[in-house]
Amino acid sequence: TINGVEEDKYYGTEIAKPADPTPEAGYEFDKWVDENGDEVTFPVKVGTEDIVIKPVYTAIERTITYVYAGDVPAGLTVPDATTGIIGDTVVIPAVPTAEGYTASAWVVAGADAEGKVATSDVTVTTTWTINRFAVTFYADEAGTKVHATKEYAYGETIAYPDSNPAKEGHTF
């Protein structure tokens, strides 16, 4: 029996290597083995016992790499690369958080439309953006007259405006 197909062969005749079988998606043909799991070398000479020859398949693995892009906060560790077998669902970690920064949702490249490992390596990327804040300097105590507005990135030192506000009859 070769790959589930029984064929009568007579004592002393040789069995030639059959064509490699077509594996299921996500696997590749590796070798032929006998019922004990030993690799078969062709041609095989028929003896006095039945012979069982089976194919062995190997799962096709692809690398799944995680990437941080953009304004990446210091000290963050990117998740370690993993492997996946074609047809496996790509594992998407929770969107990371860091004070003063915003991470986008993970974007998956190289997977199929269903988020499964396809025929190439997969890259999973989140893009970081440093949060920015507006600081408004008012020219009056009531906070109704704007003197200057400046935008600052998280962690950036706030600087006073280039000029002082003016109010008739007062010194700043």
Side-chain angles (χ1 to χ4, degrees):
T1 304
I2 298 178
N3 199 22
V5 177
E6 291 193 26
E7 188 175 324
D8 288 333
K9 294 285 185 179
Y10 297 103
Y11 177 81
T13 60
E14 291 185 342
I15 300 172
K17 182 180 182 275
D20 292 344
T22 302
E24 293 180 26
Y27 292 85
E28 58 190 6
F29 173 75
D30 186 19
K31 61 187 171 187
W32 293 100
V33 297
D34 62 20
E35 63 270 9
N36 298 318
D38 296 325
E39 188 167 358
V40 174
T41 303
F42 289 95
V44 174
K45 195 167 263 210
V46 176
T48 58
E49 304 273 331
D50 287 344
I51 301 172
V52 175
I53 301 174
K54 302 180 284 188
V56 173
Y57 301 101
T58 303
I60 300 171
E61 288 188 344
R62 297 292 181 223
T63 301
I64 302 170
T65 304
Y66 300 92
V67 176
Y68 286 166
D71 299 321
V72 181
L76 283 187
T77 303
V78 178
D80 291 334
T82 61
T83 57
I85 296 171
I86 292 176
D88 284 353
T89 299
V90 176
V91 176
I92 307 294
V95 174
T97 59
E99 183 178 340
Y101 293 80
T102 302
S104 67
W106 290 103
V107 176
V108 180
D112 66 14
E114 296 173 357
K116 297 186 182 294
V117 176
T119 58
S120 62
D121 290 341
V122 177
T123 302
V124 184
T125 305
T126 188
T127 301
W128 288 91
T129 305
I130 192 164
N131 294 339
R132 300 189 70 74
F133 304 93
V135 176
T136 303
F137 297 89
Y138 289 97
D140 63 342
E141 293 175 11
T144 57
K145 184 178 177 188
V146 175
H147 172 67
T149 299
K150 292 179 112 183
E151 188 175 279
Y152 294 91
Y154 171 81
E156 186 178 351
T157 301
I158 297 174
Y160 293 107
D162 295 334
S163 63
N164 291 325
K167 184 174 183 182
E168 192 175 314
H170 294 80
T171 303
F172 183 79

